[in-house]
């Protein structure tokens, strides 16, 4: 399952909830304000780094770039463009959106 998170971890706890519910074979895609969860030096950095040990985590590059944060991404997070977003949605049998 592909989980998408579009809310900032400083705004809501959706990223934290999402990461707690991940099962084997799941991946996370951070989009819109959810890309704040991909940043180094934030309250969610350690939680995301722990999740990266077991699950792939992606961030939508255009959303990072729009916020000027493309150089602050946690090591190991894979950046995708819109085409990559579509590829992930096709690759995983289902998508769960965390709102």
């Amino acid at each position: 399952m592909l989980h998408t998170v579009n809310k900032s971890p400083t705004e809501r706890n959706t990223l934290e909830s999402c990461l707690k519910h991940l099962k084997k074979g799941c991946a996370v895609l951070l989009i819109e304000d959810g890309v704040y969860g991909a940043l180094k030096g934030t309250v969610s950095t350690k939680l995301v780094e722990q999740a990266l040990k077991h699950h792939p985590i992606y961030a939508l590059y255009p959303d990072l770039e729009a916020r000027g944060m493309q150089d602050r991404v946690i090591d190991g997070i894979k950046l995708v463009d819109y085409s990559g977003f579509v590829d992930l949605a096709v690759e995983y049998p289902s998508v769960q959106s965390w709102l």
Side-chain angles (χ1 to χ4, degrees):
M1 177 180 290
L2 176 65
H3 296 264
T4 63
V5 178
N6 71 343
K7 300 296 182 204
S8 168
T10 60
E11 178 186 348
R12 295 190 184 185
N13 66 348
T14 51
L15 177 59
E16 182 179 348
S17 295
C18 169
L19 296 178
K20 286 181 180 177
H21 288 88
L22 292 178
K23 295 181 179 177
K24 185 177 180 180
C26 291
V28 177
L29 173 61
L30 304 171
I31 60 173
E32 301 171 2
D33 283 345
V35 296
Y36 285 98
L39 301 181
K40 297 176 184 174
T42 69
V43 294
S44 60
T45 299
K46 191 169 185 169
L47 188 63
V48 172
E49 288 174 336
Q50 287 294 326
L52 274 167
K53 294 178 182 176
H54 307 286
H55 305 280
I57 298 180
Y58 302 88
L60 191 62
Y61 185 81
D63 289 344
L64 282 164
E65 187 176 41
R67 290 158 180 81
M69 305 181 308
Q70 64 271 23
D71 297 328
R72 299 178 47 208
V73 176
I74 296 169
D75 295 335
I77 291 181
K78 299 172 187 170
L79 305 181
V80 296
D81 57 12
Y82 291 114
S83 176
F85 187 163
V86 172
D87 290 344
L88 288 171
V90 171
E91 178 181 341
Y92 288 87
S94 58
V95 177
Q96 170 69 50
S97 298
W98 291 79
L99 305 173

